[in-house]
Amino acid sequence: HAHYNYNNDQVDVEGDNLGSSFDRCQKAAVQALNVNKPCEVVTGCAFDGNWGALPADGDTSGEFYLLSYLYERIEQAGAGKFEADEGIGIATVGELAEAARKVCSMPLHEVKASNNVHPEDPLYFCLDLSYIHALLTEGFGITSSFKMAKKFDINDVKYEAAWSLGAALEML
């Protein structure tokens, strides 16, 4: 039994005795994304029938950037290649799945002992990585590599932004 705090709300969470599992977390993430809901927007749907992040023709071969928290979680898991000084990286959905499976199979005390994971994150690390994988593969239809940026430049000023901006930038 644990508590999850987000946006000044506390939610009680409880797992089962089976331990963490990439497959179970992935399944829960796909269910939460509601990817099979009929599309209600002209621009194409990524998930929940109304989030138009995909091109209307469904082509997902263009550049797609993950930003901020998603970048950090993937970097913490060691999936992909990163240029830390530049705050950029590239990974494949296969590398992400492999890292998620590894994290999900680790005992919690090992995840907590990792130097790469923030002290508040170990309980949710498996779920976070599984969710990111589901978001990319099931939500956005990404089948190969994707780019990541912790910060990006606009008029020579570095900004950090939410992941959804990475999708929006490509659409512009």
Side-chain angles (χ1 to χ4, degrees):
H1 187 81
H3 304 287
Y4 181 74
N5 294 307
Y6 179 76
N7 201 23
N8 297 323
D9 288 329
Q10 182 174 312
V11 178
D12 292 331
V13 293
E14 189 170 346
D16 54 34
N17 292 329
L18 299 175
S20 60
S21 161
F22 172 73
D23 293 328
R24 288 195 328 269
C25 286
Q26 173 91 356
K27 183 178 177 181
V30 170
Q31 184 178 4
L33 290 170
N34 201 13
V35 296
N36 294 322
K37 185 175 180 181
C39 187
E40 299 171 0
V41 294
V42 176
T43 58
C45 289
F47 51 86
D48 202 28
N50 60 13
W51 201 78
L54 296 178
D57 63 5
D59 181 11
T60 59
S61 63
E63 290 186 351
F64 189 88
Y65 289 85
L66 293 185
L67 302 176
S68 190
Y69 184 73
L70 301 181
Y71 171 102
E72 292 169 3
R73 299 307 268 166
I74 295 168
E75 183 182 40
Q76 289 170 344
K81 295 173 181 63
F82 295 85
E83 295 180 33
D85 293 343
E86 297 296 319
I88 58 173
I90 188 167
T92 67
V93 293
E95 290 170 327
L96 177 56
E98 182 179 328
R101 285 184 192 285
K102 179 180 176 185
V103 166
C104 293
S105 69
M106 294 170 64
L108 182 58
H109 72 274
E110 287 182 23
V111 178
K112 286 181 178 181
S114 171
N115 292 332
N116 295 336
V117 181
H118 189 275
E120 296 175 0
D121 294 338
L123 285 173
Y124 305 99
F125 201 25
C126 172
L127 179 60
D128 285 351
L129 294 173
S130 302
Y131 172 78
I132 295 167
H133 185 267
L135 180 68
L136 291 174
T137 59
E138 301 295 327
F140 294 124
I142 305 296
T143 58
S144 58
S145 64
F146 55 91
K147 294 181 179 181
M148 297 168 280
K150 185 161 183 155
K151 295 186 177 184
F152 60 96
D153 287 328
I154 295 179
N155 297 328
D156 295 324
V157 177
K158 292 262 188 202
Y159 292 93
E160 187 168 336
W163 64 266
S164 54
L165 182 59
L169 288 174
E170 175 57 24
M171 293 178 65
L172 296 176

